[in-house]
Amino acid sequence: MASVDAPRKPERRLSKTGRERLVSVGRHAVLLIWSFVVLFPLYWIVSMSLKPPSEAITLPPDWIFLPTVYNYIQLFQQSSFIMAFANSVFMVSASVILVLIIGVPAAYVLSRWKVPKQRDVLVWILSSRMLPPVAVVFPFFVIFRRLNLFDTRIGMIFMYVTINLSLVVWVMKAFFDGIPETLEEAAHVDGATQFQAFWKIILPAAKPGIFSVAIISFIFAWIELLFSLVLTNDTAVTVTMQVYQFIGVRQIEWGMLAAATTATILPVLLLIIAVNKYLAAGLSFGVVIKE
Amino acid sequence: MSTPTQTTPPNGSGLSRFRELWNDYLPYWFMTPMVIVMLLITIFPGAYDLYLSLVKYNLANPATIGQFNGLTNFETAFTSGGAVNSFTLTILFVAGALALETSIGFVLAALVTGVRSSWMRTFYRIAFILPMAVAPVSLATITRIMLNTEIGVIPYLIGDFTPFTAPSFLSDVPLLTIILVDTWNWTPFMFIIFYAGMSSVPETLLEASRVDGAPLWRRYLHVIIPYMKPVLFVAILIRLIDLFRTFGLVFTLTHGGPGTATELVSINIFQTGFTFVDLGGAAAVAVVYLVGIVALCNVLIIKIGFEGVWD
């Protein structure tokens, strides 16, 4: 993981021939084109959300305009949007905490003990991610109705846990594999119990992993639409559901739609920028960090 | 099960008895909640889907719910329910998006790795992972605005600044459009993993091949790609699994249409189960889909994956 930004070796800086310069220009040309492809839609939706309604969809577009927060005020005056937003923040955060509590200790065991049929257990855990949500949502729909979990926050929190559990176990197992066992042995010599060694020594050492996997779990739950579409109705409605419903409205208010979209993207955007260094390690299920 | 040796002095009081149990069986306590949840989320839906697929379960027809139906649900789905069409579309979609995301992600990673200035590298790296922050449903709204034939900025730019006329993306080339939009959304995933993998190729290996005077493409073919094999494999496997899950983006963007031109299996199942409230029919398609994906992934993992990847 540390090698992600390894400093270039000095010998690379040798003689800048014309050919090398050409390669460098070509390289940046391609990278800048892709930057444009990536950034333009983001710029567009944010700028739309900051335009007064009369200018939102005019063509040719007003490239220069006076930004206004009018759309955001409109949006946040709608109680349903605030509630959906708060709902999502609460349910997604709660599910992340829960999935960590369930997944991290299990990953620790899978890393340190010889679990019977270890490989099968790991593949079985991964298989929960292979199940397409659409194939599991109807069984849960039926059972949620029976158990009165339909349209409840607890039900949604549970569904979010199901999305992320395999991810947490896999990533954290890889992280624990990378922490030397001598650390625990030293703790045992000092008289710590197994749990104390785990709690006071291993968990703090695995912090970067926990951090990155928490963020990734947050993202996957935050962007989820299907479960809220089928399993919520009113009380447990999510922010993605709100954005979805905006499109269904006959007369679309473009400015507000853009503002709602921006509001959905922004929290995740900030998180991603904050942890972009750890992201690769978490996403690659530990393969990259073994270095 | 070899537990680290741990001696607790024998003690009679209840609390320390509890502590002893807690410590001696720690691995079991640690595994139990995970195993319970896993059973709930793998065995239960699978078994329930199987049950639903074999009975009549149409919410519009409550009287017949639960009646054994044999394989009729499967027959209906695959003869008149559009399941065959949706399976074909899904394979095209997954193959197209996976190929694009893998190749673009790899090229971007290779290019960024070669950037010398460190702040430029950071800029590219952060910029290139941003799309992952966009929820598919949000991306779909952005796309619908930007591609709209009347008010969209992209047809406008194409029409005004290039000699071409923009196609009406969502109605003329719907499948290609959803592939491209998904590529925008998820190439970052491939990019960031490949980038990390490429950065971890030991400099000595690269140096050796450079001294040998190997041309660039040979360096990739014989040094970098073999070294990155586990990284490539895991990234492609995870992305493959997630592509089969695609729902929100396509559902919001096209609703499976126009007609059934983008009706992926997940959309087909959703429509059958939610719009036509035929849970039995939906489950039949789900069972086939589920078995197919799990079988495919298991073949990939067991035949190819575990050698040198995870142990």
Side-chain angles (χ1 to χ4, degrees):
Chain A
M1 180 174 56
S3 51
V4 166
D5 253 334
R8 300 282 105 191
K9 286 277 157 27
E11 55 262 36
R12 278 253 181 126
R13 294 179 194 274
L14 287 178
S15 68
K16 221 178 181 192
T17 62
R19 186 167 171 274
E20 258 183 76
R21 190 163 290 149
L22 204 67
V23 169
S24 171
V25 168
R27 176 195 308 282
H28 282 287
V30 175
L31 292 176
L32 285 172
I33 289 172
W34 188 259
S35 305
F36 177 77
V37 168
V38 164
L39 295 176
F40 184 66
L42 292 173
Y43 158 77
W44 192 251
I45 205 73
V46 174
S47 75
M48 232 177 119
S49 75
L50 294 172
K51 283 177 184 174
S54 59
E55 288 174 46
I57 55 165
T58 50
L59 283 179
D62 295 318
W63 297 105
I64 299 162
F65 61 94
L66 200 63
T68 163
V69 289
Y70 172 84
N71 293 315
Y72 289 90
I73 293 172
Q74 288 279 299
L75 182 68
F76 281 95
Q77 270 173 356
Q78 280 194 350
S79 56
S80 65
F81 189 83
I82 298 184
M83 182 173 127
F85 198 89
N87 251 348
S88 275
V89 171
F90 169 73
M91 296 189 303
V92 172
S93 308
S95 83
V96 170
I97 293 168
L98 195 62
V99 81
L100 290 177
I101 292 174
I102 299 171
V104 172
Y108 177 65
V109 173
L110 284 165
S111 163
R112 285 297 191 270
W113 275 271
K114 279 205 175 65
V115 176
K117 303 219 171 218
Q118 172 110 3
R119 187 186 279 193
D120 296 338
V121 171
L122 280 170
V123 174
W124 174 52
I125 291 168
L126 189 62
S127 78
S128 76
R129 202 174 171 76
M130 297 170 202
L131 307 180
V134 74
V136 304
V137 73
F138 290 112
F140 279 113
F141 173 73
V142 174
I143 205 82
F144 271 27
R145 292 240 149 180
R146 296 252 169 87
L147 300 175
N148 284 325
L149 283 170
F150 178 76
D151 197 21
T152 61
R153 297 189 182 91
I154 294 182
M156 284 304 287
I157 290 170
F158 175 78
M159 294 314 289
Y160 288 153
V161 168
T162 70
I163 303 177
N164 287 316
L165 187 59
S166 62
L167 202 78
V168 171
V169 174
W170 272 74
V171 174
M172 287 317 297
K173 182 198 175 290
F175 258 90
F176 289 131
D177 284 348
I179 298 172
E181 289 193 37
T182 45
L183 273 182
E184 287 136 295
E185 281 158 22
H188 289 314
V189 171
D190 290 342
T193 64
Q194 281 182 46
F195 182 73
Q196 283 166 336
F198 169 72
W199 187 253
K200 296 214 173 110
I201 310 290
I202 301 302
L203 271 192
K207 231 188 213 161
I210 296 176
F211 203 52
S212 73
V213 85
I215 301 295
I216 297 164
S217 303
F218 188 97
I219 294 174
F220 277 117
W222 181 266
I223 66 178
E224 159 66 33
L225 173 70
L226 177 67
F227 290 153
S228 54
L229 211 55
V230 179
L231 300 174
T232 74
N233 189 16
D234 186 30
T235 19
V237 107
T238 63
V239 73
T240 45
M241 186 69 180
Q242 277 289 308
V243 174
Y244 174 73
Q245 279 171 346
F246 256 111
I247 306 178
V249 180
R250 205 164 302 261
Q251 197 175 2
I252 299 178
E253 293 175 71
W254 297 104
M256 262 168 79
L257 177 58
T261 309
T262 310
T264 324
I265 297 171
L266 212 59
V268 190
L269 210 63
L270 296 177
L271 282 178
I272 284 200
I273 293 175
V275 296
N276 90 86
K277 269 193 181 166
Y278 300 121
L279 211 55
L283 282 174
S284 55
F285 282 50
V287 170
V288 174
I289 54 157
K290 272 187 181 160
E291 262 328 289
Chain B
M1 192 165 275
S2 67
T3 50
T5 47
Q6 175 67 44
T7 49
T8 320
N11 195 320
S13 84
L15 190 63
S16 50
R17 178 88 195 102
F18 171 77
R19 249 188 224 142
E20 229 172 274
L21 275 177
W22 168 246
N23 254 304
D24 289 353
Y25 293 95
L26 199 71
Y28 296 96
W29 306 136
F30 271 17
M31 285 291 276
T32 309
M34 193 272 298
V35 171
I36 293 173
V37 176
M38 281 302 303
L39 285 172
L40 274 177
I41 64 184
T42 56
I43 310 294
F44 165 71
Y48 206 96
D49 267 332
L50 198 60
Y51 158 74
L52 283 177
S53 70
L54 296 173
V55 300
K56 289 184 185 163
Y57 210 115
N58 194 322
L59 299 180
N61 202 352
T64 61
I65 282 182
Q67 282 174 17
F68 182 70
N69 204 15
L71 296 177
T72 319
N73 286 334
F74 291 89
E75 208 186 310
T76 316
F78 282 88
T79 49
S80 57
V84 175
N85 170 52
S86 70
F87 272 82
T88 317
L89 286 173
T90 303
I91 290 168
L92 288 175
F93 168 76
V94 171
L98 191 67
L100 274 180
E101 286 162 23
T102 307
S103 48
I104 298 177
F106 190 88
V107 169
L108 291 177
L111 291 178
V112 175
T113 311
V115 170
R116 282 186 192 132
S117 122
S118 118
W119 75 266
M120 282 298 275
R121 259 205 325 277
T122 311
F123 164 78
Y124 287 133
R125 203 184 56 211
I126 293 186
F128 291 178
I129 61 175
L130 289 186
M132 251 171 62
V134 183
V137 58
S138 306
L139 179 58
T141 57
I142 300 175
T143 311
R144 281 170 64 129
I145 298 172
M146 292 183 73
L147 291 185
N148 188 297
T149 37
E150 276 149 38
I151 59 153
V153 67
I154 290 178
Y156 163 77
L157 290 179
I158 293 177
D160 263 36
F161 293 95
T162 70
F164 309 104
T165 324
S168 172
F169 288 95
L170 290 171
S171 49
D172 293 350
V173 280
L175 190 67
L176 180 68
T177 305
I178 61 171
I179 289 175
L180 292 179
V181 177
D182 193 85
T183 302
W184 186 88
N185 203 187
W186 288 103
T187 296
F189 178 92
M190 300 309 240
F191 162 74
I192 192 72
I193 298 175
F194 291 164
Y195 176 72
M198 237 173 250
S199 313
S200 68
V201 178
E203 191 67 27
T204 45
L205 271 183
L206 294 174
E207 201 48 48
S209 75
R210 226 175 275 135
V211 169
D212 290 347
L216 194 63
W217 65 269
R218 291 197 68 145
R219 205 179 300 155
Y220 274 99
L221 204 62
H222 296 299
V223 181
I224 297 176
I225 290 177
Y227 186 85
M228 283 178 61
K229 221 165 85 184
V231 179
L232 289 167
F233 176 75
V234 169
I236 291 172
L237 178 74
I238 301 300
R239 193 64 208 122
L240 181 77
I241 292 174
D242 282 356
L243 272 166
F244 280 114
R245 298 162 69 94
T246 303
F247 175 81
L249 175 73
V250 180
F251 188 71
T252 320
L253 201 51
T254 67
H255 248 280
T260 57
T262 56
E263 191 179 284
L264 304 184
V265 179
S266 52
I267 311 280
N268 179 280
I269 296 173
F270 180 88
Q271 304 280 29
T272 314
F274 202 69
T275 312
F276 305 124
V277 290
D278 177 10
L279 297 194
V285 184
V287 165
V288 177
Y289 198 40
L290 235 150
V291 170
I293 293 172
V294 173
L296 175 69
C297 294
N298 272 298
V299 167
L300 287 176
I301 290 174
I302 289 161
K303 295 278 180 228
I304 318 168
F306 267 104
E307 285 158 32
V309 176
W310 284 306
D311 47 10

